[in-house]
Amino acid sequence: MAMTLTRAFGRMALASKARVPSAATCSFKANVGAAQVFGARPIRTTPVFSATVEAKQNTLKRQRTAEKARVRNKSRKSAVKTRMKKALTAMEAMKDELPKSVEDLKPVELLISEAYKEIDKAVSKGTLHKSTGSRRKSRLGVAKSRLAIEAGLYVPS
């Protein structure tokens, strides 16, 4: 009988009550030859304990990986903020004593290029979204152009 059911339903076979509790079975009705057969088949084919162990190991590894990424991303974001702050504070300090030539803006341009480098690195590594990186670079560029306009070194067209 089990052999016939196995052939009729592929890998499905009758489940004995000792192996699978009644709550975990699904009843079925089949026609095998001329006789009707009633039986039960297990819903879950894999043992519960092995899936739980794999899921737990995977979860623990995922937590370790996420923590490493969080620390790495925090460091990168902090570096971006530091570079931006240095460049913006240098430009604010120059507003008190406006630069007289383009050469006086060189230290600020150096700080801006360092900030751009950090922002581009954070975007390429996936720490910052590319729109966020563009917005931050734009903020630095606008601040520089405002300083140059105030100093009379640049005239917008």
Side-chain angles (χ1 to χ4, degrees):
M1 179 82 154
M3 188 64 136
T4 309
L5 282 176
T6 304
R7 272 194 229 124
F9 295 104
R11 294 178 60 190
M12 182 178 14
L14 288 175
S16 67
K17 289 183 181 178
R19 283 186 21 212
V20 180
S22 62
T25 60
C26 179
S27 62
F28 66 90
K29 177 179 171 183
N31 290 326
V32 179
Q36 274 193 344
V37 178
F38 295 89
R41 62 183 168 102
I43 292 175
R44 185 175 294 180
T45 57
T46 57
V48 176
F49 64 88
S50 68
T52 306
V53 171
E54 289 173 14
K56 185 173 181 182
Q57 288 172 347
N58 191 24
T59 303
L60 294 175
K61 182 177 179 184
R62 188 55 115 161
Q63 287 173 351
R64 287 192 308 266
T65 308
E67 180 63 21
K68 287 178 188 176
R70 185 189 70 79
V71 171
R72 207 169 30 241
N73 290 342
K74 184 178 178 184
S75 166
R76 253 191 210 112
K77 283 181 182 180
S78 176
V80 168
K81 288 177 188 175
T82 302
R83 301 288 184 208
M84 284 189 63
K85 188 173 182 181
K86 281 184 179 182
L88 291 172
T89 53
M91 285 186 264
E92 283 294 320
M94 281 193 149
K95 283 187 179 179
D96 296 336
E97 185 181 326
L98 292 173
K100 302 199 180 349
S101 68
V102 180
E103 293 299 319
D104 294 340
L105 286 176
K106 288 292 181 189
V108 171
E109 288 177 356
L110 182 67
L111 291 172
I112 290 174
S113 69
E114 288 176 2
Y116 277 12
K117 183 179 175 182
E118 282 295 330
I119 292 169
D120 288 336
K121 192 184 298 183
V123 169
S124 70
K125 299 292 183 182
T127 302
L128 292 179
H129 192 270
K130 63 180 181 177
S131 303
T132 306
S134 297
R135 187 175 63 248
R136 292 187 181 183
K137 287 166 68 172
S138 174
R139 187 177 298 163
L140 290 170
V142 166
K144 178 187 163 202
S145 64
R146 283 186 183 155
L147 179 65
I149 289 170
E150 287 178 19
L153 301 174
Y154 173 70
V155 179
S157 54

